[in-house]
Amino acid sequence: MAQAPSLLDANGASPTTQTFEIRDQHVKVPTIDLTVEPDDLWERMRRGFSMPDLNTDLVTDRQIYYINRPGALRQIFSRGQRYLYYIVEELERRGMPTELALLPMVESAFNPMALSSAQASGLWQFVPSTGKSYRLEQNWWVDERRDVIASTNAALDYLQYIYEMHGDWHLALASYNWGEGAVGRAVAKNRAAGQPTEYQFLNMPGETRYYVPKLQALKNIVAQPELFGITLPSIPNRPYFATVESRVPLDLATAARLAETPVEEILALNPGYKRPVLPTNGTQSLIIPANRVDTFLSNLEKHDPASAAWKTYELQEGEGLEGVADRLGISASRLRQVNGLSPRARIGTGYTLIVPSESQGERITLANMLPTKPQAGAIEPPSFIVQRTVVRGRNGKPTVIERKVPVGGAPIKPFASAKDQEKDTPRGKHGKSKGSDKQDEKPASEKPSAKDKSASSSKEKDSGKDKSSAKEKPAAHEKSQGKEKAAGKDKAADSKAESNHKAADKKDNGSKSKDAKDSAGKDKKHH
């Protein structure tokens, strides 16, 4: 456009009217043809981003955190490429925002074997009670909290439920981490005080405060990776795995051989199985890479079931594990390890053992598949006993301090200071659950820095209370009372407590200081 003349000419008179021609510069705006399916899964995911963006300092803080750890970020993205297609497909089918596919990065770093100290497990970190509420089977053979398909469907069911409850995705995500009841109370409190009820204005635990910013930071990185200097791994927009059914008894090592796929890949796709042998009741479902399905089915037709590397054996009357191990030609310690039995566990008639083959080429170590609990029917001696110390406070009222002591461990000093007692007293972990017992916990897999460990620790302190774990401890105390005499207690220290409190068990006489009273109060509240 030509330069405009001054408002007055040289003589001070108004200038004559001039006509200016403005030529539009046509800028080409890039367009996206939504009728054409993209070849890249990341691009497909970006098209489905539909949550309102959260712009806070915490988002910036998490972005800096992630881009300063490119190695850990690449590992998470690489691990997630097995599962992302299925998750994105399910989200689109339900009409949900596709950025939710990044939530397992926050929950478990895309490690389906992740297990928190609160026993939250799987990609989506379900605690046992919540898993049962969402029909995730948990038994000696399987744990569907770790199953990729079952846990994803349960997690999306729950996310839909809490979104419909709050009508806001940020509040729904806060509920997933903190519990919908806690979020509802926080919203009601702000509303009653005339304060904003959006996510960033709520009074919440530190872990929940960082929860949505973590997801937003990952969303920003995926949306514009070049802006952050991040290169995303290429993920084709096609199924990574497929489910096959078989009525032929299989074990995971044999399945890997039939699919001509590494055992590690089969384990990563079938983390829900807790045993190397697939359940023998009915049809067996197995997830294998999509490009190996034809190979697997072809080899399965030629497979001889008698050549399985793992078999089951039911103990007959009068048989013991050691005798069976000798007769089968394997070590008793390996047989116990495979079956999740401690050296002290006692088993009897009717107990089903998994028997591995020791032949070369079939011997596999599946440490992450071993059970966390023994099969029903095994009798495990108690691993600890309970010490009770009776102390008298300033008000003259007796107080009982209960402490768990490992069996075979050194007895606690009868006159240990209250500070030492409090230091040694075990503290419980709040369970993570959807609802009242939902609590986010960092898995062992996502520990690239001390900062994440700190965040995980703070989360445990700020989480909603899991009352179920607190209720179980008194029962454990009562169950082990009969073993207390075997712990080598100092009877001289017990004598004074016994004379003053005949109804109490014989225990060490602890300190009667105010500090001891405070420690007792804390322990009593905890248990």
Side-chain angles (χ1 to χ4, degrees):
M1 186 175 69
Q3 182 177 359
S6 61
L7 297 179
L8 299 175
D9 59 18
N11 299 325
S14 299
T16 57
T17 304
Q18 298 184 21
T19 303
F20 298 93
E21 180 181 0
I22 300 177
R23 297 179 180 178
D24 294 334
Q25 297 295 325
H26 296 284
V27 179
K28 293 184 178 180
V29 178
T31 59
I32 299 176
D33 186 355
L34 296 179
T35 63
V36 178
E37 195 72 20
D39 294 330
D40 182 59
L41 185 63
W42 296 115
E43 182 58 35
R44 178 182 178 183
M45 190 185 303
R46 293 182 191 108
R47 294 184 184 184
F49 286 173
S50 56
M51 281 187 195
D53 286 331
L54 182 68
N55 299 307
T56 65
D57 291 340
L58 291 183
V59 175
T60 304
D61 176 81
R62 291 297 87 188
Q63 287 175 176
I64 294 173
Y65 172 82
Y66 285 123
I67 63 178
N68 283 339
R69 294 160 177 80
L73 201 58
R74 281 194 300 270
Q75 183 184 28
I76 295 173
F77 284 140
S78 177
R79 199 156 46 205
Q81 65 185 348
R82 295 185 178 99
Y83 319 113
L84 273 171
Y85 179 89
Y86 178 79
I87 298 174
V88 171
E89 187 84 0
E90 280 298 301
L91 288 169
E92 288 186 347
R93 187 180 66 83
R94 296 167 180 249
M96 300 171 71
T98 54
E99 53 262 62
L100 290 173
L102 303 174
L103 193 59
M105 295 185 184
V106 178
E107 286 285 343
S108 63
F110 265 124
N111 178 11
M113 298 303 298
L115 180 67
S116 75
S117 58
Q119 301 305 303
S121 184
L123 291 177
W124 302 90
Q125 291 289 279
F126 280 94
V127 293
S129 58
T130 308
K132 292 177 182 177
S133 299
Y134 281 83
R135 300 178 299 280
L136 295 178
E137 190 173 359
Q138 301 162 60
N139 55 42
W140 191 71
W141 290 100
V142 299
D143 186 346
E144 288 189 334
R145 297 178 300 155
R146 302 191 316 221
D147 184 274
V148 176
I149 294 176
S151 66
T152 296
N153 293 336
L156 299 190
D157 285 344
Y158 180 67
L159 285 166
Q160 282 184 310
Y161 166 72
I162 51 182
Y163 172 71
E164 292 171 359
M165 173 183 293
H166 295 294
D168 180 280
W169 275 115
H170 293 162
L171 295 180
L173 289 168
S175 297
Y176 191 92
N177 176 254
W178 191 20
E180 64 266 28
V183 172
R185 289 188 293 273
V187 169
K189 183 177 179 180
N190 276 27
R191 184 180 293 115
Q195 298 176 353
T197 57
E198 287 77 11
Y199 167 83
Q200 60 268 36
F201 300 106
L202 299 182
N203 183 19
M204 64 187 78
E207 175 62 22
T208 308
R209 187 172 299 282
Y210 271 92
Y211 192 72
V212 177
K214 284 182 181 180
L215 182 63
Q216 182 68 54
L218 290 167
K219 173 184 175 181
N220 293 344
I221 292 172
V222 170
Q224 295 180 293
E226 65 283 352
L227 183 64
F228 299 94
I230 299 293
T231 301
L232 300 178
S234 177
I235 304 181
N237 185 24
R238 60 175 180 267
Y240 185 90
F241 59 76
T243 302
V244 295
E245 305 288 341
S246 172
R247 290 189 175 275
V248 177
L250 287 176
D251 61 83
L252 294 175
T254 301
R257 189 180 71 251
L258 297 179
E260 299 179 12
T261 302
V263 171
E264 293 77 15
E265 184 70 9
I266 295 298
L267 294 181
L269 293 175
N270 297 271
Y273 289 120
K274 296 169 65 177
R275 295 294 182 276
V277 181
L278 273 62
T280 56
N281 50 342
T283 302
Q284 302 167 334
S285 296
L286 190 71
I287 298 177
I288 62 175
N291 60 352
R292 311 308 297 171
V293 171
D294 293 338
T295 301
F296 175 82
L297 295 177
S298 175
N299 290 333
L300 183 63
E301 293 179 357
K302 310 169 190 175
H303 172 63
D304 179 10
S307 65
W310 303 80
K311 299 178 181 179
T312 57
Y313 182 86
E314 184 174 315
L315 288 181
Q316 304 301 313
E317 185 175 357
E319 287 185 322
L321 183 142
E322 285 73 13
V324 171
D326 290 340
R327 183 151 43 84
L328 296 176
I330 62 176
S331 67
S333 60
R334 175 162 169 75
L335 191 57
R336 284 183 176 275
Q337 179 193 30
V338 169
N339 287 273
L341 298 170
S342 74
R344 300 183 302 157
R346 299 186 300 275
I347 57 177
T349 304
Y351 190 94
T352 301
L353 292 170
I354 290 180
V355 183
S357 169
E358 292 288 332
S359 60
Q360 186 66 23
E362 294 294 346
R363 186 186 305 166
I364 57 175
T365 302
L366 301 176
N368 57 348
M369 297 291 292
L370 295 181
T372 55
K373 294 182 180 179
Q375 169 187 175
I379 302 175
E380 288 282 346
S383 59
F384 62 88
I385 60 172
V386 178
Q387 279 191 345
R388 291 186 178 85
T389 302
V390 181
V391 299
R392 188 180 298 278
R394 287 186 175 180
N395 57 4
K397 293 183 179 180
T399 303
V400 179
I401 301 177
E402 294 183 342
R403 303 169 58 200
K404 291 193 290 187
V405 180
V407 173
I412 299 174
K413 298 178 181 179
F415 293 99
S417 66
K419 183 177 181 180
D420 290 337
Q421 288 184 11
E422 184 174 355
K423 179 180 179 181
D424 292 338
T425 302
R427 298 297 176 184
K429 303 292 184 183
H430 295 304
K432 172 181 177 179
S433 67
K434 314 292 188 283
S436 61
D437 58 347
K438 174 82 174 71
Q439 175 63 33
D440 181 51
E441 186 70 33
K442 276 287 178 195
S445 61
E446 188 179 359
K447 295 182 179 178
S449 72
K451 187 170 183 179
D452 257 3
K453 294 179 182 178
S454 175
S456 181
S457 177
S458 64
K459 167 190 59 185
E460 293 173 5
K461 296 177 181 177
D462 296 329
S463 65
K465 304 296 183 290
D466 186 356
K467 296 182 179 179
S468 62
S469 64
K471 291 180 181 178
E472 292 173 0
K473 291 183 178 172
H477 297 330
E478 294 171 4
K479 188 175 181 180
S480 60
Q481 285 180 10
K483 305 290 182 179
E484 292 172 359
K485 294 183 179 180
K489 301 295 185 296
D490 189 336
K491 295 183 179 180
D494 292 337
S495 59
K496 186 174 182 180
E498 183 181 14
S499 62
N500 293 333
H501 310 285
K502 294 182 179 180
D505 295 334
K506 290 185 178 183
K507 303 298 170 186
D508 295 335
N509 186 25
S511 170
K512 298 183 181 181
S513 64
K514 183 177 182 298
D515 290 340
K517 177 185 174 183
D518 294 338
S519 175
K522 291 179 182 178
D523 281 2
K524 185 177 181 181
K525 181 178 180 181
H526 166 66
H527 290 297

mmCIF file of all heavy atoms in Angstrom, residues 21-42:
data_model
loop_
_atom_site.group_PDB
_atom_site.id
_atom_site.type_symbol
_atom_site.label_atom_id
_atom_site.label_comp_id
_atom_site.label_asym_id
_atom_site.label_seq_id
_atom_site.Cartn_x
_atom_site.Cartn_y
_atom_site.Cartn_z
ATOM 1 N N GLU A 21 -5.073 1.422 -3.809
ATOM 2 C CA GLU A 21 -5.408 0.046 -4.176
ATOM 3 C C GLU A 21 -4.685 -0.906 -3.223
ATOM 4 O O GLU A 21 -3.468 -0.824 -3.069
ATOM 5 C CB GLU A 21 -4.986 -0.264 -5.610
ATOM 6 C CG GLU A 21 -5.315 -1.696 -6.016
ATOM 7 C CD GLU A 21 -4.855 -2.008 -7.443
ATOM 8 O OE1 GLU A 21 -4.286 -1.101 -8.096
ATOM 9 O OE2 GLU A 21 -5.047 -3.153 -7.889
ATOM 10 N N ILE A 22 -5.434 -1.744 -2.568
ATOM 11 C CA ILE A 22 -4.874 -2.724 -1.632
ATOM 12 C C ILE A 22 -4.978 -4.105 -2.270
ATOM 13 O O ILE A 22 -6.069 -4.562 -2.614
ATOM 14 C CB ILE A 22 -5.611 -2.714 -0.279
ATOM 15 C CG1 ILE A 22 -5.518 -1.338 0.363
ATOM 16 C CG2 ILE A 22 -5.059 -3.795 0.643
ATOM 17 C CD1 ILE A 22 -6.275 -1.219 1.660
ATOM 18 N N ARG A 23 -3.856 -4.714 -2.441
ATOM 19 C CA ARG A 23 -3.821 -6.034 -3.061
ATOM 20 C C ARG A 23 -3.665 -7.104 -1.969
ATOM 21 O O ARG A 23 -2.711 -7.085 -1.200
ATOM 22 C CB ARG A 23 -2.658 -6.136 -4.039
ATOM 23 C CG ARG A 23 -2.792 -5.164 -5.210
ATOM 24 C CD ARG A 23 -1.599 -5.296 -6.141
ATOM 25 N NE ARG A 23 -1.714 -4.376 -7.251
ATOM 26 C CZ ARG A 23 -0.797 -4.237 -8.205
ATOM 27 N NH1 ARG A 23 0.319 -4.971 -8.139
ATOM 28 N NH2 ARG A 23 -0.980 -3.379 -9.199
ATOM 29 N N ASP A 24 -4.624 -7.963 -1.904
ATOM 30 C CA ASP A 24 -4.589 -9.042 -0.901
ATOM 31 C C ASP A 24 -3.498 -10.053 -1.237
ATOM 32 O O ASP A 24 -3.312 -10.439 -2.392
ATOM 33 C CB ASP A 24 -5.937 -9.779 -0.833
ATOM 34 C CG ASP A 24 -7.042 -8.874 -0.319
ATOM 35 O OD1 ASP A 24 -6.699 -7.942 0.405
ATOM 36 O OD2 ASP A 24 -8.217 -9.123 -0.654
ATOM 37 N N GLN A 25 -2.763 -10.412 -0.199
ATOM 38 C CA GLN A 25 -1.768 -11.461 -0.343
ATOM 39 C C GLN A 25 -2.408 -12.780 0.097
ATOM 40 O O GLN A 25 -2.694 -12.993 1.266
ATOM 41 C CB GLN A 25 -0.545 -11.148 0.532
ATOM 42 C CG GLN A 25 0.177 -9.883 0.123
ATOM 43 C CD GLN A 25 0.801 -10.009 -1.257
ATOM 44 O OE1 GLN A 25 1.262 -11.078 -1.633
ATOM 45 N NE2 GLN A 25 0.799 -8.914 -1.998
ATOM 46 N N HIS A 26 -2.665 -13.660 -0.826
ATOM 47 C CA HIS A 26 -3.346 -14.911 -0.529
ATOM 48 C C HIS A 26 -2.364 -15.877 0.140
ATOM 49 O O HIS A 26 -1.377 -16.286 -0.472
ATOM 50 C CB HIS A 26 -3.918 -15.531 -1.800
ATOM 51 C CG HIS A 26 -4.977 -14.685 -2.427
ATOM 52 N ND1 HIS A 26 -6.252 -14.598 -1.933
ATOM 53 C CD2 HIS A 26 -4.935 -13.847 -3.500
ATOM 54 C CE1 HIS A 26 -6.974 -13.783 -2.665
ATOM 55 N NE2 HIS A 26 -6.190 -13.300 -3.629
ATOM 56 N N VAL A 27 -2.610 -16.184 1.406
ATOM 57 C CA VAL A 27 -1.753 -17.105 2.154
ATOM 58 C C VAL A 27 -2.385 -18.494 2.120
ATOM 59 O O VAL A 27 -3.551 -18.673 2.459
ATOM 60 C CB VAL A 27 -1.583 -16.644 3.625
ATOM 61 C CG1 VAL A 27 -0.701 -17.622 4.384
ATOM 62 C CG2 VAL A 27 -1.009 -15.237 3.655
ATOM 63 N N LYS A 28 -1.613 -19.467 1.726
ATOM 64 C CA LYS A 28 -2.114 -20.837 1.664
ATOM 65 C C LYS A 28 -2.073 -21.475 3.053
ATOM 66 O O LYS A 28 -1.015 -21.576 3.662
ATOM 67 C CB LYS A 28 -1.274 -21.666 0.689
ATOM 68 C CG LYS A 28 -1.426 -21.225 -0.762
ATOM 69 C CD LYS A 28 -0.655 -22.153 -1.683
ATOM 70 C CE LYS A 28 -0.836 -21.745 -3.141
ATOM 71 N NZ LYS A 28 -0.093 -22.644 -4.061
ATOM 72 N N VAL A 29 -3.232 -21.837 3.540
ATOM 73 C CA VAL A 29 -3.337 -22.479 4.846
ATOM 74 C C VAL A 29 -3.340 -23.994 4.648
ATOM 75 O O VAL A 29 -4.134 -24.507 3.853
ATOM 76 C CB VAL A 29 -4.622 -22.046 5.585
ATOM 77 C CG1 VAL A 29 -4.733 -22.759 6.932
ATOM 78 C CG2 VAL A 29 -4.653 -20.543 5.747
ATOM 79 N N PRO A 30 -2.443 -24.709 5.331
ATOM 80 C CA PRO A 30 -2.427 -26.170 5.148
ATOM 81 C C PRO A 30 -3.730 -26.800 5.619
ATOM 82 O O PRO A 30 -4.294 -26.412 6.647
ATOM 83 C CB PRO A 30 -1.253 -26.623 6.031
ATOM 84 C CG PRO A 30 -1.045 -25.518 7.003
ATOM 85 C CD PRO A 30 -1.440 -24.256 6.289
ATOM 86 N N THR A 31 -4.227 -27.710 4.870
ATOM 87 C CA THR A 31 -5.486 -28.380 5.206
ATOM 88 C C THR A 31 -5.231 -29.863 5.434
ATOM 89 O O THR A 31 -4.221 -30.410 4.985
ATOM 90 C CB THR A 31 -6.515 -28.203 4.075
ATOM 91 O OG1 THR A 31 -5.962 -28.756 2.866
ATOM 92 C CG2 THR A 31 -6.849 -26.736 3.866
ATOM 93 N N ILE A 32 -6.153 -30.482 6.142
ATOM 94 C CA ILE A 32 -6.067 -31.910 6.432
ATOM 95 C C ILE A 32 -7.297 -32.586 5.845
ATOM 96 O O ILE A 32 -8.437 -32.172 6.121
ATOM 97 C CB ILE A 32 -5.998 -32.170 7.952
ATOM 98 C CG1 ILE A 32 -4.754 -31.518 8.546
ATOM 99 C CG2 ILE A 32 -6.001 -33.661 8.241
ATOM 100 C CD1 ILE A 32 -4.666 -31.649 10.052
ATOM 101 N N ASP A 33 -7.080 -33.580 5.059
ATOM 102 C CA ASP A 33 -8.184 -34.347 4.488
ATOM 103 C C ASP A 33 -8.551 -35.449 5.475
ATOM 104 O O ASP A 33 -7.870 -36.471 5.583
ATOM 105 C CB ASP A 33 -7.767 -34.942 3.144
ATOM 106 C CG ASP A 33 -8.936 -35.618 2.437
ATOM 107 O OD1 ASP A 33 -10.038 -35.705 3.042
ATOM 108 O OD2 ASP A 33 -8.753 -36.073 1.283
ATOM 109 N N LEU A 34 -9.624 -35.209 6.209
ATOM 110 C CA LEU A 34 -10.022 -36.150 7.251
ATOM 111 C C LEU A 34 -10.631 -37.421 6.680
ATOM 112 O O LEU A 34 -10.909 -38.366 7.429
ATOM 113 C CB LEU A 34 -11.018 -35.483 8.203
ATOM 114 C CG LEU A 34 -10.476 -34.296 9.005
ATOM 115 C CD1 LEU A 34 -11.565 -33.707 9.883
ATOM 116 C CD2 LEU A 34 -9.277 -34.697 9.853
ATOM 117 N N THR A 35 -10.872 -37.448 5.374
ATOM 118 C CA THR A 35 -11.416 -38.665 4.765
ATOM 119 C C THR A 35 -10.324 -39.682 4.439
ATOM 120 O O THR A 35 -10.614 -40.825 4.129
ATOM 121 C CB THR A 35 -12.176 -38.316 3.473
ATOM 122 O OG1 THR A 35 -11.254 -37.754 2.516
ATOM 123 C CG2 THR A 35 -13.283 -37.313 3.754
ATOM 124 N N VAL A 36 -9.068 -39.248 4.536
ATOM 125 C CA VAL A 36 -7.947 -40.136 4.247
ATOM 126 C C VAL A 36 -7.275 -40.527 5.559
ATOM 127 O O VAL A 36 -6.890 -39.659 6.345
ATOM 128 C CB VAL A 36 -6.923 -39.456 3.308
ATOM 129 C CG1 VAL A 36 -5.739 -40.393 3.071
ATOM 130 C CG2 VAL A 36 -7.583 -39.077 2.000
ATOM 131 N N GLU A 37 -7.157 -41.808 5.788
ATOM 132 C CA GLU A 37 -6.537 -42.295 7.022
ATOM 133 C C GLU A 37 -5.029 -42.053 6.970
ATOM 134 O O GLU A 37 -4.378 -42.414 5.989
ATOM 135 C CB GLU A 37 -6.809 -43.789 7.183
ATOM 136 C CG GLU A 37 -6.532 -44.331 8.572
ATOM 137 C CD GLU A 37 -7.550 -43.890 9.593
ATOM 138 O OE1 GLU A 37 -8.655 -43.485 9.202
ATOM 139 O OE2 GLU A 37 -7.234 -43.951 10.800
ATOM 140 N N PRO A 38 -4.447 -41.426 7.990
ATOM 141 C CA PRO A 38 -3.008 -41.170 7.972
ATOM 142 C C PRO A 38 -2.219 -42.466 8.113
ATOM 143 O O PRO A 38 -2.697 -43.453 8.686
ATOM 144 C CB PRO A 38 -2.798 -40.258 9.186
ATOM 145 C CG PRO A 38 -3.927 -40.587 10.105
ATOM 146 C CD PRO A 38 -5.090 -40.916 9.214
ATOM 147 N N ASP A 39 -1.007 -42.463 7.605
ATOM 148 C CA ASP A 39 -0.146 -43.640 7.716
ATOM 149 C C ASP A 39 0.542 -43.712 9.076
ATOM 150 O O ASP A 39 0.992 -44.777 9.482
ATOM 151 C CB ASP A 39 0.919 -43.611 6.613
ATOM 152 C CG ASP A 39 0.305 -43.754 5.231
ATOM 153 O OD1 ASP A 39 -0.747 -44.406 5.116
ATOM 154 O OD2 ASP A 39 0.874 -43.189 4.272
ATOM 155 N N ASP A 40 0.639 -42.570 9.746
ATOM 156 C CA ASP A 40 1.351 -42.491 11.019
ATOM 157 C C ASP A 40 0.360 -42.447 12.169
ATOM 158 O O ASP A 40 -0.592 -41.644 12.161
ATOM 159 C CB ASP A 40 2.242 -41.246 11.036
ATOM 160 C CG ASP A 40 3.038 -41.135 12.320
ATOM 161 O OD1 ASP A 40 3.813 -42.066 12.613
ATOM 162 O OD2 ASP A 40 2.881 -40.133 13.028
ATOM 163 N N LEU A 41 0.564 -43.299 13.171
ATOM 164 C CA LEU A 41 -0.370 -43.348 14.296
ATOM 165 C C LEU A 41 -0.334 -42.059 15.105
ATOM 166 O O LEU A 41 -1.363 -41.630 15.635
ATOM 167 C CB LEU A 41 -0.040 -44.545 15.201
ATOM 168 C CG LEU A 41 -1.010 -44.784 16.362
ATOM 169 C CD1 LEU A 41 -2.405 -45.110 15.847
ATOM 170 C CD2 LEU A 41 -0.502 -45.917 17.264
ATOM 171 N N TRP A 42 0.845 -41.420 15.215
ATOM 172 C CA TRP A 42 0.926 -40.164 15.953
ATOM 173 C C TRP A 42 0.026 -39.111 15.314
ATOM 174 O O TRP A 42 -0.652 -38.353 16.031
ATOM 175 C CB TRP A 42 2.362 -39.661 16.005
ATOM 176 C CG TRP A 42 3.312 -40.536 16.750
ATOM 177 C CD1 TRP A 42 4.375 -41.219 16.233
ATOM 178 C CD2 TRP A 42 3.301 -40.835 18.152
ATOM 179 N NE1 TRP A 42 5.019 -41.925 17.216
ATOM 180 C CE2 TRP A 42 4.389 -41.703 18.409
ATOM 181 C CE3 TRP A 42 2.478 -40.463 19.202
ATOM 182 C CZ2 TRP A 42 4.677 -42.198 19.678
ATOM 183 C CZ3 TRP A 42 2.768 -40.960 20.476
ATOM 184 C CH2 TRP A 42 3.842 -41.806 20.699
#
